[in-house]
Amino acid sequence: MGKPNIPRPRWPGRLSRRLFLQRAGWLGGAGLAATVLSGCGGGGSSGAAVGRVPVSDDPDTGGDAAQVFPHGVASGDPLQDRVILWTHVLPAASNAGESIAVTWDLALDPDMRMPVAAGNTVARAERDFTVKVDVTGLQPGTTYYYRFTARNRQSVTGRTRTLPVGATDRLRMAVVSCASLPHGFFNAYDRIAQRADLDLVVHLGDYLYEYPGRGVSEAENPDEYGDGRAIGRAPEPPHEIITLDDYRTRHACYKLDPDLQALHRQHPMICVWDDHESTNDSYIDGAQNHNPERGEGDWPSRKARAIQAYYEWLPIRQTPGADEARIYRQFALGDLVDLFMLDTRLLAREQPGEPALAVPGLPAGAFTDSGDIARPRDLLGPAQTDWLDAGLTGSQARWKLLGQQVMFGQLKVLGAANALNLQNPGGQGGAFLNPDQWDGYPRAREQVWRIIRGGQPAPAVAVDNVVVLTGDIHTSWAMDLTEDPNNLVAYNPLTGTGALGVEFVTPSVTSPGLDELSGVGEPALMTQNPHMKYINLSEHGYMLLDITPERIQTEWWFVDRLDAPDDGETLAAVAVTQSGSRHVVVGGQASAPAADPPALAP
Ligand SMILES: [Fe+2]
């Protein structure tokens, strides 16, 4: 995330001893207790390839699944007939360099008495002993249960679900991003895990952070991604991750978290990276937090290592025939939703420009849309733009969801019609805040507007019901999407007339919010940005989307606290966009859970 002014996290609430002990591992699964309470690995790990959980040479007697499968199970990238199943196998100390035989089985019931499929695979050192199986031949819209066996141990049972085909009258999904281990407990993940009626979880990135336990550097900003030791959540390794083993160790560290394991165990995930899975504010040929002069090597190599570890440790399917850097992909959820997962970070993003600073008196970093910022600058790149154009134009689904990283709609600290807008050449432009988001790439954004308009001049709309889902900024937003929000001739903020779509931004799971944005609070931001319908700059949690052919209802659920395991959550806001309206209306009650959801995995 490219930042405006990030304050320290808040630690509200009081400790729930029962929950703390339960999730820390003391009340069951004793094998994880020591590792979770000490951060990730507890130090002193002997296996260089696994590096985080002490390996055991005693797989045949006693113990539990955590001795061989300490990182749980996961599933992801469901299609109508297939889904990726994932686990990691801990090798014995005596054969840490060898392959391990693994079997998997899949059934229709949580007790695994109605088997559907089974098979063999191998956990190899070259993939860090991670296992990925693409199980095919499945039925659409169906819940399955699965488990792995290796070294005479059985994993926990996971639950997953294929995508529907044809007429689909309702879907429910959670949307998350930005989970910093040292900043708190992943209570939001556990709240989502307990919702049995979800079809899937969309993760928009910052699944982990690259920083050391004490931040970017003590001199630069000692508190930004602070020390998690006070709550037993200092990440491993205890330094910025650079090497392949560093990236693998950090993934393994995060996957010891019991709330993250619960999320993966109960729901299939469709994920994409943001910047911190490689390093802060990354782009195609560099990153803000990459410096070869500090011994961090060349960027292409580091980026390749980050991508390799990501594909090893996330339940994601590699696009056939493409290299691992091509993460953008499309999912068809019956006739209700086409979901497009985009990459705005590693594949094509050019280095941000040097925006012309706004007039004195505005918050630091505020910039105008004149000068270098207006230069054509890739964000999606030509290949991904063409792919998105073909996908959106050809979509027959009611809703087109774009899952992506950085805020798409404009964010100004001084509202005025755009100067850059060719339809408004006399506009004063106002002042933007964050060149890391699409505001820093106005020509790339114009390409998406052009796709939605079908190449026609405004107000034509060729691709209707576009809904952008965004993470990265650690805060909650709902807005109409329009080319020039402050141009009230072209856009009516009361009715949405003139808008081209809507955007919903999910808060962080734990990463610090923006109690105020460069000195500008929520009311002022709402005033300067008439297309914004909801803003919360401080709370943490997740978005729940309840989707029908008539409307999408988005709910912001905030957790009560971060400093300890806790089950409390509050519905903070509801926003609805009606089909064909291209307009967000805030208000309403929580959506009803789906009737008779499939049983959670045991
Ligand atoms: Fe983040």
Side-chain angles (χ1 to χ4, degrees):
M1 165 181 167
K3 21 222 112 20
N5 173 27
I6 301 179
R8 302 192 63 178
R10 301 170 317 112
W11 301 118
R14 61 183 172 75
L15 185 75
S16 160
R17 177 175 170 76
R18 179 187 65 82
L19 281 165
F20 181 85
L21 294 176
Q22 204 169 47
R23 280 207 228 147
W26 292 108
L27 298 183
L32 286 183
T35 53
V36 171
L37 283 174
S38 63
C40 291
S45 170
S46 58
V50 290
R52 318 93 192 176
V53 175
V55 294
S56 163
D57 253 340
D58 182 27
D60 300 324
T61 58
D64 58 21
Q67 287 190 322
V68 172
F69 301 98
H71 303 101
V73 299
S75 71
D77 278 15
L79 302 180
Q80 288 82 3
D81 66 341
R82 66 193 63 195
V83 67
I84 297 283
L85 306 182
W86 178 96
T87 193
H88 172 271
V89 181
L90 194 66
S94 59
N95 69 349
E98 299 177 10
S99 300
I100 304 168
V102 180
T103 62
W104 57 269
D105 57 314
L106 181 122
L108 286 168
D109 64 309
D111 296 326
M112 309 297 288
R113 291 179 181 146
M114 303 167 65
V116 170
N120 304 309
T121 186
V122 176
R124 302 181 193 279
E126 67 201 46
R127 298 299 284 180
D128 203 19
F129 295 101
T130 58
V131 174
K132 221 182 264 189
V133 179
D134 201 353
V135 181
T136 60
L138 304 180
Q139 295 300 308
T142 302
T143 295
Y144 294 94
Y145 301 82
Y146 62 94
R147 64 190 175 190
F148 295 90
T149 304
R151 298 181 60 206
N152 298 317
R153 285 286 183 283
Q154 215 159 60
S155 72
V156 295
T157 300
R159 189 184 80 140
T160 191
R161 185 171 176 82
T162 50
L163 301 184
V165 295
T168 303
D169 58 9
R170 192 182 185 194
L171 290 164
R172 281 166 69 81
M173 61 179 71
V175 181
V176 292
S177 77
C178 297
S180 170
L181 191 85
H183 276 110
F185 286 81
F186 296 160
N187 293 323
Y189 284 162
D190 190 60
R191 293 298 80 219
I192 296 167
Q194 297 307 315
R195 290 181 177 271
D197 66 346
L198 301 183
D199 292 277
L200 57 91
V201 173
V202 173
H203 201 303
L204 295 175
D206 287 359
Y207 183 93
L208 53 71
Y209 284 78
E210 84 280 12
Y211 294 124
R214 289 194 62 79
V216 179
S217 73
E218 292 196 41
E220 191 174 345
N221 191 345
D223 295 323
E224 183 177 8
Y225 283 84
D227 188 338
R229 279 178 290 184
I231 53 170
R233 295 175 71 80
E236 283 198 359
H239 52 78
E240 183 177 327
I241 52 177
I242 306 289
T243 68
L244 178 59
D245 191 56
D246 290 343
Y247 279 102
R248 287 169 161 176
T249 299
R250 188 62 59 87
H251 275 282
C253 168
Y254 271 64
K255 274 223 168 56
L256 287 176
D257 181 88
D259 296 321
L260 180 53
Q261 288 195 11
L263 179 79
H264 278 305
R265 188 167 73 254
Q266 300 296 353
H267 303 297
M269 179 180 282
I270 294 176
C271 61
V272 70
W273 55 57
D274 194 9
D275 51 339
H276 290 285
E277 288 89 346
S278 53
T279 195
N280 184 55
D281 285 2
S282 47
Y283 47 91
I284 186 169
D285 52 6
Q288 177 275 331
N289 191 29
H290 178 74
N291 187 349
E293 295 173 4
R294 289 199 307 246
E296 296 176 354
D298 67 280
W299 172 245
S301 300
R302 183 179 182 183
K303 182 168 73 167
R305 296 192 292 269
I307 290 172
Q308 179 179 335
Y310 187 88
Y311 273 88
E312 288 171 349
W313 282 85
L314 271 296
I316 181 174
R317 179 182 296 107
Q318 188 175 340
T319 301
D323 67 30
E324 290 183 333
R326 188 200 143 150
I327 196 171
Y328 61 86
R329 61 211 194 280
Q330 179 178 350
F331 298 87
L333 287 70
D335 64 355
L336 192 54
V337 169
D338 276 339
L339 171 63
F340 300 85
M341 299 296 287
L342 308 182
D343 168 41
T344 66
R345 286 293 182 193
L346 297 184
L347 194 65
R349 171 189 285 254
E350 289 185 68
Q351 184 171 10
E354 292 294 332
L357 295 180
V359 296
L362 289 175
F367 64 94
T368 69
D369 58 2
S370 58
D372 181 61
I373 204 74
R375 176 175 78 76
R377 187 176 274 107
D378 276 336
L379 195 58
L380 299 179
Q384 187 175 194
T385 301
D386 288 348
W387 166 85
L388 181 63
D389 190 350
L392 282 177
T393 304
S395 173
Q396 300 297 311
R398 174 61 57 98
W399 300 98
K400 295 87 180 172
L401 306 188
L402 307 186
Q404 54 99 53
Q405 294 82 11
V406 287
M407 188 183 288
F408 189 82
Q410 284 189 3
L411 171 57
K412 285 184 174 176
V413 289
L414 178 63
N418 291 340
L420 183 61
N421 189 342
L422 298 180
Q423 296 160 10
N424 183 35
Q428 295 303 302
F432 297 91
L433 186 63
N434 183 10
D436 184 62
Q437 59 195 56
W438 288 78
D439 285 344
Y441 298 79
R443 297 301 185 187
R445 183 162 53 193
E446 171 59 27
Q447 292 181 312
V448 180
W449 297 137
R450 180 181 48 75
I451 293 170
I452 294 174
R453 286 193 270 100
Q456 305 297 310
V461 176
V463 183
D464 206 355
N465 288 338
V466 172
V467 178
V468 178
L469 305 176
T470 300
D472 179 69
I473 198 165
H474 303 181
T475 47
S476 303
W477 310 68
M479 70 195 83
D480 294 350
L481 289 177
T482 174
E483 293 179 85
D484 196 357
N486 298 82
N487 179 352
L488 301 185
V489 175
Y491 164 66
N492 183 337
L494 297 178
T495 64
T497 300
L500 293 172
V502 301
E503 181 172 11
F504 299 119
V505 182
T506 192
S508 67
V509 172
T510 62
S511 303
L514 312 158
D515 285 335
E516 55 178 26
L517 210 50
S518 295
V520 182
E522 292 147 356
L525 288 170
M526 296 283 280
T527 301
Q528 300 301 320
N529 297 277
H531 59 307
M532 301 284 187
K533 307 305 175 188
Y534 173 65
I535 304 174
N536 181 289
L537 298 178
S538 57
E539 302 294 335
H540 308 279
Y542 61 95
M543 289 195 309
L544 177 69
L545 266 61
D546 189 280
I547 305 171
T548 69
E550 293 75 33
R551 58 99 179 99
I552 292 182
Q553 172 162 325
T554 298
E555 302 169 8
W556 284 264
W557 289 86
F558 294 151
V559 296
D560 289 353
R561 60 188 301 174
L562 299 179
D563 61 334
D566 188 273
D567 284 349
E569 65 175 352
T570 303
L571 176 61
V574 174
V576 174
T577 183
Q578 300 288 339
S579 176
S581 73
R582 304 183 288 280
H583 182 48
V584 172
V585 175
V586 172
Q589 305 296 314
S591 54
D596 300 322
L600 290 171

mmCIF file of all heavy atoms in Angstrom, residues 178 206 209 276 472 474, ligand 1:
data_model
loop_
_atom_site.group_PDB
_atom_site.id
_atom_site.type_symbol
_atom_site.label_atom_id
_atom_site.label_comp_id
_atom_site.label_asym_id
_atom_site.label_seq_id
_atom_site.Cartn_x
_atom_site.Cartn_y
_atom_site.Cartn_z
ATOM 1 N N CYS A 178 -5.266 -7.757 3.577
ATOM 2 C CA CYS A 178 -4.379 -7.059 4.515
ATOM 3 C C CYS A 178 -4.426 -7.610 5.934
ATOM 4 O O CYS A 178 -5.060 -7.042 6.829
ATOM 5 C CB CYS A 178 -4.675 -5.559 4.516
ATOM 6 S SG CYS A 178 -4.339 -4.816 2.902
ATOM 7 N N ASP A 206 -2.102 -8.814 0.231
ATOM 8 C CA ASP A 206 -1.447 -8.597 1.517
ATOM 9 C C ASP A 206 -1.860 -9.715 2.474
ATOM 10 O O ASP A 206 -2.227 -9.485 3.617
ATOM 11 C CB ASP A 206 -1.722 -7.211 2.089
ATOM 12 C CG ASP A 206 -0.969 -6.117 1.331
ATOM 13 O OD1 ASP A 206 -0.227 -6.455 0.392
ATOM 14 O OD2 ASP A 206 -1.125 -4.935 1.679
ATOM 15 N N TYR A 209 2.968 -9.950 5.148
ATOM 16 C CA TYR A 209 3.814 -8.760 4.997
ATOM 17 C C TYR A 209 5.275 -9.153 5.057
ATOM 18 O O TYR A 209 5.656 -10.069 5.782
ATOM 19 C CB TYR A 209 3.486 -7.730 6.086
ATOM 20 C CG TYR A 209 2.190 -7.020 5.786
ATOM 21 C CD1 TYR A 209 0.966 -7.642 6.034
ATOM 22 C CD2 TYR A 209 2.180 -5.760 5.216
ATOM 23 C CE1 TYR A 209 -0.226 -7.012 5.733
ATOM 24 C CE2 TYR A 209 0.988 -5.121 4.905
ATOM 25 C CZ TYR A 209 -0.212 -5.748 5.170
ATOM 26 O OH TYR A 209 -1.391 -5.129 4.861
ATOM 27 N N HIS A 276 2.615 -6.618 -0.752
ATOM 28 C CA HIS A 276 3.455 -7.111 0.346
ATOM 29 C C HIS A 276 3.806 -8.592 0.251
ATOM 30 O O HIS A 276 4.697 -9.046 0.966
ATOM 31 C CB HIS A 276 2.801 -6.791 1.691
ATOM 32 C CG HIS A 276 2.829 -5.331 2.002
ATOM 33 N ND1 HIS A 276 3.970 -4.683 2.407
ATOM 34 C CD2 HIS A 276 1.872 -4.375 1.907
ATOM 35 C CE1 HIS A 276 3.712 -3.385 2.586
ATOM 36 N NE2 HIS A 276 2.444 -3.176 2.273
ATOM 37 N N ASP A 472 -6.182 -3.360 -0.058
ATOM 38 C CA ASP A 472 -4.963 -2.546 -0.024
ATOM 39 C C ASP A 472 -4.957 -1.380 0.937
ATOM 40 O O ASP A 472 -3.944 -1.103 1.567
ATOM 41 C CB ASP A 472 -4.624 -2.018 -1.433
ATOM 42 C CG ASP A 472 -3.370 -1.155 -1.437
ATOM 43 O OD1 ASP A 472 -2.283 -1.715 -1.216
ATOM 44 O OD2 ASP A 472 -3.480 0.069 -1.611
ATOM 45 N N HIS A 474 -6.726 -0.677 3.719
ATOM 46 C CA HIS A 474 -6.935 -0.931 5.156
ATOM 47 C C HIS A 474 -8.149 -0.211 5.721
ATOM 48 O O HIS A 474 -8.245 -0.033 6.933
ATOM 49 C CB HIS A 474 -5.698 -0.514 5.986
ATOM 50 C CG HIS A 474 -4.437 -1.178 5.557
ATOM 51 N ND1 HIS A 474 -3.226 -0.964 6.181
ATOM 52 C CD2 HIS A 474 -4.183 -2.075 4.580
ATOM 53 C CE1 HIS A 474 -2.282 -1.681 5.595
ATOM 54 N NE2 HIS A 474 -2.847 -2.368 4.615
HETATM 55 FE FE FE B 1 -2.031 -3.975 3.247
#
